[in-house]
Amino acid sequence: MDDLEKKINNPDENGEEIENENKPVESENDKAEDMDIGPSESEESEEDELSKIVSQLKSKKEEILNDEVQDWDGLVDQSQQDAEEFIINESADISEEKLESIEVIELDEDDERLCSLCHRRLKYSENGIEYEYCKRCRKELLETKYNWKSIVAFVASCIVFVFAIALSGVSILNGATTVKAERLLKENKYTSANNMYSYILQSSGSGSSYAPFSLDTIFGVDVGRKAQIGYIETLYKLGSIQNIGATVDSYFTDKDLEKEKYSDIKKYKKVYDELYNVSVEATTVIQELQSKEKITKADVEETVKVLEEMKKENKYNNAFIAYYQYYATLMAPDTYDLQVKYLNELKQGEPELTQFYRMSFANIYLSDGDYDKCITECDVALEENAEDINAYRMKVKALYRQKKYDEALELSHKAIEIAKEIYEVQEDESQLASTKDITYAYSIYTEQAIVFGLKGDMKSAQTAIDRAYQGQLTLDTAYLYAMINKVNGNTESYDEIMTMLEQYGMQLPEICQQYIDGTKTFEDIFVNGKVEWYE
């Protein structure tokens, strides 16, 4: 290179001159660009060296193909070493194509040293970092341009897929819950079935017939409609007729109700309409009775006569008029004969509505001391509805009044377990149990406290009445809570309940105070006597 510079700046041996000295002096870079300089001897030698290496590689490749190479690892190491030594030679002017030809080394495709993408070239390394790909594949990956429309389409597809999976999961879950609810309905466990149907309606988007679509019908399973039908049926079986009207109007159109498959729903709606028509007139009559300061049997008799006139108009369901007549008889003492009369009319007119009259008959028999008839009515009620907590409660009362304390206690435990089962489902899923149902559920603890008291186990009686008091406070529970806490020496709890009663202008019944004073026993009150405050 020094000789070349000397020839540029000075005349050569033949006396040739370069440019006129008067011409402006150009930089060495400008001069080099204007001149056509051929390869030097050193560059030619470098090209020769490159050719030799390539020739060696080809020769080794041929040896591999001819199975003449025994030291495979040595061959790979030597080939890589030769290539690397040549690559780091800064004086070599090597094109990218030549470099790639050196990189290509035929190895087993499973060799970990090969590019993870092409499996032909060695992995690229730089600054001590070894990449998963060779130089060419890595460059192509980094320079690949993506179409934004393809990316949007891919993301949209992912969203649709996830949404579809989510909806199918909801559908499958609701489908399984529907199967369970149908099984409970067949087992006459109406409260639990009602809770499950309600849960499905809330979670499936099937709460209205006017909704644009039900999530469950997207996948060909109309569990939403099944839940609507099952929910209304359980309302009917539970005697919650007053809730049927608005429910049917929410889920079904008039056109729907004309279809044969919805004939039962149409029947339930007809029952509701008839009850509602009677209630509009009858409620006004009942309110007049309730407005009296003290209601006598004569007042009740006058009221039922007014209601009897409605039957002559032939525009009402007379069975429901009888129901309101029975309701009026409950407001005065010594009306059992009238109660039985109107309950029988109701039963004859609407025999399917057992929840309207079955336990009312049981209560009449209990009050009259006909405990066997009371128990029979309770057993029939439990066959009709296996989760009728009020039937369990009434039967427990009849048993301990027959002094069958152990049997009564066993039944109370069973009733409590059933109540827990029902309302654990209610708390987890629907939260729609009525106040009446909850009152009956906790009243079992009150009855159990009485049974323990009759057996002389006041410690267990305390545990049971505490549970009833914490769960649902009624007047019966408050009185019994005061009695048990006083005899057990729990002065603070006794004072608490007495203060609450005084705030409402109430006091303990005389018979409760007699128990506290020791002049009456549990048996005197709950077996031999007639407890007006506890009927």
Side-chain angles (χ1 to χ4, degrees):
M1 189 65 70
D2 293 336
D3 294 337
L4 181 58
E5 293 178 358
K6 188 174 181 182
K7 289 180 180 181
I8 293 173
N9 295 320
N10 300 290
D12 61 10
E13 295 176 355
N14 298 324
E16 296 178 352
E17 295 181 357
I18 315 174
E19 298 289 339
N20 194 308
E21 292 181 0
N22 294 328
K23 229 177 170 183
V25 178
E26 295 179 354
S27 66
E28 291 182 3
N29 292 336
D30 292 336
K31 293 175 183 179
E33 290 175 358
D34 293 339
M35 300 189 67
D36 184 14
I37 303 174
S40 65
E41 294 180 359
S42 60
E43 290 174 327
E44 291 178 351
S45 63
E46 292 169 351
E47 289 289 338
D48 292 339
E49 184 179 352
L50 174 60
S51 298
K52 291 178 181 180
I53 293 175
V54 173
S55 177
Q56 291 176 1
L57 291 175
K58 289 182 178 180
S59 176
K60 291 178 180 180
K61 177 180 178 180
E62 292 176 357
E63 292 176 1
I64 294 171
L65 296 175
N66 294 327
D67 295 327
E68 294 179 356
V69 179
Q70 300 299 324
D71 186 7
W72 178 273
D73 293 333
L75 173 63
V76 174
D77 294 340
Q78 184 60 41
S79 299
Q80 185 173 7
Q81 181 179 355
D82 292 343
E84 290 177 351
E85 288 179 355
F86 186 79
I87 291 170
I88 63 175
N89 188 343
E90 296 181 356
S91 64
D93 183 13
I94 305 173
S95 66
E96 186 175 349
E97 293 180 356
K98 294 177 180 178
L99 180 61
E100 289 171 356
S101 68
I102 295 173
E103 281 185 318
V104 177
I105 301 176
E106 296 294 338
L107 299 175
D108 188 343
E109 288 188 357
D110 296 330
D111 195 297
E112 295 181 355
R113 289 167 289 184
L114 290 180
C115 171
S116 300
L117 190 60
C118 70
H119 301 288
R120 294 177 60 243
R121 290 174 287 273
L122 293 171
K123 293 179 180 178
Y124 176 66
S125 61
E126 184 179 22
N127 297 328
I129 301 175
E130 185 180 84
Y131 297 96
E132 285 297 313
Y133 312 106
C134 65
K135 188 172 183 179
R136 168 185 273 186
C137 291
R138 186 168 180 273
K139 182 179 180 182
E140 289 177 354
L141 289 173
L142 293 174
E143 293 179 353
T144 300
K145 295 182 179 179
Y146 294 96
N147 188 318
W148 67 271
K149 293 182 180 180
S150 300
I151 296 175
V152 171
F154 175 75
V155 173
S157 299
C158 291
I159 293 174
V160 170
F161 177 75
V162 172
F163 186 63
I165 292 297
L167 289 183
S168 63
V170 172
S171 181
I172 292 170
L173 177 61
N174 286 337
T177 306
T178 301
V179 171
K180 187 175 182 180
E182 290 174 344
R183 176 178 58 78
L184 291 169
L185 186 59
K186 291 178 180 178
E187 294 174 355
N188 296 341
K189 296 181 178 181
Y190 300 134
T191 304
S192 293
N194 180 269
N195 290 335
M196 288 194 174
Y197 283 130
S198 177
Y199 168 77
I200 296 167
L201 294 177
Q202 292 177 20
S203 64
S204 70
S206 303
S208 172
S209 61
Y210 307 113
F213 61 85
S214 168
L215 296 182
D216 294 307
T217 58
I218 294 177
F219 302 98
V221 182
D222 197 0
V223 297
R225 188 54 116 183
K226 283 187 176 181
Q228 292 168 350
I229 295 171
Y231 180 67
I232 294 170
E233 183 178 355
T234 53
L235 287 177
Y236 183 80
K237 296 291 187 181
L238 291 169
S240 299
I241 307 299
Q242 67 276 11
N243 295 323
I244 288 178
T247 306
V248 172
D249 290 342
S250 295
Y251 299 155
F252 297 87
T253 64
D254 292 338
K255 187 176 180 179
D256 289 333
L257 296 179
E258 295 304 318
K259 299 177 181 178
E260 179 63 28
K261 62 181 178 179
Y262 299 136
S263 58
D264 286 343
I265 302 299
K266 185 177 181 179
K267 180 185 75 172
Y268 302 149
K269 179 64 161 53
K270 181 176 179 289
V271 171
Y272 165 80
D273 289 338
E274 291 177 349
L275 178 60
Y276 176 78
N277 290 336
V278 171
S279 68
V280 172
E281 298 293 332
T283 300
T284 302
V285 178
I286 296 296
Q287 286 175 344
E288 290 181 6
L289 176 64
Q290 291 174 325
S291 65
K292 298 181 180 294
E293 185 175 347
K294 186 176 181 180
I295 302 174
T296 64
K297 183 176 181 180
D299 294 329
V300 169
E301 290 174 342
E302 183 63 29
T303 299
V304 297
K305 285 181 181 179
V306 174
L307 293 172
E308 192 71 25
E309 291 298 315
M310 292 177 58
K311 297 178 181 177
K312 299 177 181 179
E313 298 182 25
N314 294 323
K315 64 178 184 179
Y316 300 111
N317 184 327
N318 290 347
F320 290 134
I321 295 176
Y323 172 73
Y324 278 95
Q325 288 175 309
Y326 162 73
Y327 183 72
T329 63
L330 297 176
M331 299 181 188
D334 302 324
T335 59
Y336 293 135
D337 55 337
L338 293 175
Q339 291 177 27
V340 172
K341 174 185 176 179
Y342 295 123
L343 282 175
N344 279 324
E345 285 188 23
L346 171 60
K347 181 179 179 179
Q348 291 172 4
E350 291 291 341
E352 288 188 1
L353 298 180
T354 59
Q355 289 292 323
F356 273 59
Y357 59 81
R358 181 77 65 199
M359 294 315 301
S360 296
F361 276 121
N363 190 57
I364 290 173
Y365 297 141
L366 182 70
S367 299
D368 279 351
D370 195 341
Y371 302 130
D372 288 336
K373 281 188 177 181
C374 175
I375 291 173
T376 298
E377 289 292 341
C378 291
D379 288 340
V380 174
L382 289 172
E383 289 177 5
E384 296 169 341
N385 179 7
E387 295 178 331
D388 191 337
I389 300 300
N390 191 35
Y392 278 109
R393 169 178 170 269
M394 196 77 68
K395 186 174 180 179
V396 169
K397 293 178 77 166
L399 287 171
Y400 69 63
R401 289 189 182 185
Q402 290 180 321
K403 298 186 179 181
K404 298 178 180 179
Y405 302 143
D406 291 337
E407 191 174 344
L409 188 59
E410 182 180 354
L411 187 63
S412 71
H413 284 303
K414 180 179 179 180
I416 287 171
E417 290 305 311
I418 291 174
K420 284 181 178 180
E421 204 173 296
I422 295 171
Y423 297 111
E424 281 176 356
V425 172
Q426 177 265 325
E427 291 172 1
D428 290 344
E429 297 182 357
S430 72
Q431 300 182 349
L432 291 177
S434 68
T435 302
K436 177 182 176 182
D437 289 336
I438 294 173
T439 300
Y440 285 151
Y442 284 112
S443 69
I444 294 295
Y445 285 103
T446 303
E447 300 302 336
Q448 190 178 73
I450 292 174
V451 177
F452 278 125
L454 290 169
K455 290 173 64 68
D457 187 355
M458 298 309 296
K459 182 178 179 180
S460 296
Q462 181 72 63
T463 301
I465 197 62
D466 284 347
R467 186 68 183 90
Y469 180 77
Q470 294 165 5
Q472 186 78 16
L473 182 61
T474 64
L475 195 59
D476 294 343
T477 303
Y479 290 158
L480 193 60
Y481 183 78
M483 292 167 58
I484 293 176
N485 274 285
K486 185 64 175 178
V487 298
N488 282 338
N490 300 324
T491 305
E492 185 176 345
S493 296
Y494 172 79
D495 291 342
E496 176 187 317
I497 192 66
M498 292 303 295
T499 299
M500 186 193 72
L501 290 173
E502 290 173 4
Q503 288 175 347
Y504 287 94
M506 304 176 71
Q507 58 184 3
L508 281 179
E510 182 180 357
I511 196 168
C512 295
Q513 191 60 52
Q514 289 174 342
Y515 170 75
I516 291 173
D517 295 339
T519 58
K520 292 284 185 181
T521 65
F522 253 57
E523 190 169 302
D524 292 334
I525 298 172
F526 296 108
V527 177
N528 301 328
K530 189 171 184 180
V531 187
E532 295 294 342
W533 57 269
Y534 199 63
E535 291 301 321

